[in-house]
Amino acid sequence: MTVRMIDITGKEPIYREATATGFLRVDEDTMGELMKVGVSGLGNAAAIAKVTAINATKTAWKLIPLLHPVPITYIEARVRYEKDGIRMGVLARTRAQTGIEMDVLFGLFSGLLAAWNTIKGCSRTCTPEWVTNFMGNQVQTCGSSRVDGMFDIRVVSKVKSEERISLSLGDFEDNTVDYP
């Protein structure tokens, strides 16, 4: 089996842009609290998700084998709270020899995962119960799930052009900007 990075040495840098979106399904009680107060569990889920997404987009090449390091020139992450979860969008731009779709997907996934971690212990509907874990020890856990998982993670647009084309996240309303 041969493993090698694709050779892009002969390719000229060109303007590239990619946008990815995804959804973290969360129970409505937790989302109601999050939308009312703005913070829950470990803090501000939206702010943590955005910072994580931006950082992960910049460093995707360090964690995904054979992904080229790309000089990313712009990243924007937006979060929208909905009654049944958190929708997120990540946009990145570069002038490079290869695309940035994997970078924005990695950033989006990491951002949603950070939001999940932030809100996982905040639900008031959680009823603690004792269970036996895989090592045979009694541990306390929450009997009801607050987060159902991540869905619809995908690249929704990508651009490869001689000229700069800005698709932006303009139609993706971020309704979390006023929270603490």
Side-chain angles (χ1 to χ4, degrees), residues 24 45 86 111-121 147-150:
L24 180 68
I86 298 173
L112 289 174
L113 191 61
W116 188 338
N117 182 59
T118 304
I119 63 175
K120 69 181 181 206
V147 180
D148 292 330
M150 293 184 234

Side-chain angles (χ1 to χ4, degrees), residues 43-85:
N44 184 326
I48 291 168
K50 290 175 196 177
V51 169
T52 300
I54 290 168
N55 193 50
T57 301
K58 295 187 320 185
T59 59
W61 64 274
K62 291 181 178 182
L63 298 168
I64 300 175
L66 309 179
L67 191 65
H68 293 89
V70 177
I72 296 176
T73 57
Y74 178 80
I75 303 170
E76 182 177 355
R78 292 190 183 179
V79 171
R80 182 172 61 229
Y81 290 157
E82 299 178 1
K83 73 174 190 159
D84 59 343

Side-chain angles (χ1 to χ4, degrees), residues 2-180:
T2 302
V3 176
R4 63 181 173 81
M5 181 181 269
I6 300 296
D7 186 359
I8 59 172
T9 307
K11 294 176 75 175
E12 291 295 318
I14 191 168
Y15 177 80
R16 296 167 186 269
E17 181 175 299
T19 304
T21 61
F23 187 72
L24 180 68
R25 190 171 299 143
V26 180
D27 76 82
E28 290 186 19
D29 289 338
T30 301
M31 284 311 300
E33 179 183 337
L34 197 55
M35 292 170 83
K36 183 171 59 172
V37 180
V39 295
S40 199
L42 299 175
N44 184 326
I48 291 168
K50 290 175 196 177
V51 169
T52 300
I54 290 168
N55 193 50
T57 301
K58 295 187 320 185
T59 59
W61 64 274
K62 291 181 178 182
L63 298 168
I64 300 175
L66 309 179
L67 191 65
H68 293 89
V70 177
I72 296 176
T73 57
Y74 178 80
I75 303 170
E76 182 177 355
R78 292 190 183 179
V79 171
R80 182 172 61 229
Y81 290 157
E82 299 178 1
K83 73 174 190 159
D84 59 343
I86 298 173
R87 191 165 304 281
M88 185 170 198
V90 178
L91 162 79
R93 296 183 183 131
T94 188
R95 182 165 286 283
Q97 298 161 287
T98 189
I100 54 174
E101 301 85 49
M102 294 303 296
D103 306 78
V104 294
L105 281 169
F106 186 77
L108 173 71
F109 179 82
S110 299
L112 289 174
L113 191 61
W116 188 338
N117 182 59
T118 304
I119 63 175
K120 69 181 181 206
C122 66
S123 176
R124 292 192 177 141
T125 62
C126 176
T127 306
E129 59 186 46
W130 289 94
V131 297
T132 303
N133 70 8
F134 70 96
M135 296 179 67
N137 299 325
Q138 286 286 307
V139 294
Q140 195 172 28
T141 186
C142 183
S144 63
S145 175
R146 294 157 309 287
V147 180
D148 292 330
M150 293 184 234
F151 299 89
D152 301 323
I153 294 174
R154 70 183 93 207
V155 173
V156 293
S157 67
K158 72 179 201 175
V159 171
K160 178 180 174 184
S161 173
E162 295 290 334
E163 304 288 323
R164 180 175 185 256
I165 301 172
S166 178
L167 295 177
S168 82
L169 288 169
D171 60 341
F172 190 102
E173 179 189 354
D174 187 330
N175 65 359
T176 66
V177 293
D178 295 329
Y179 292 120

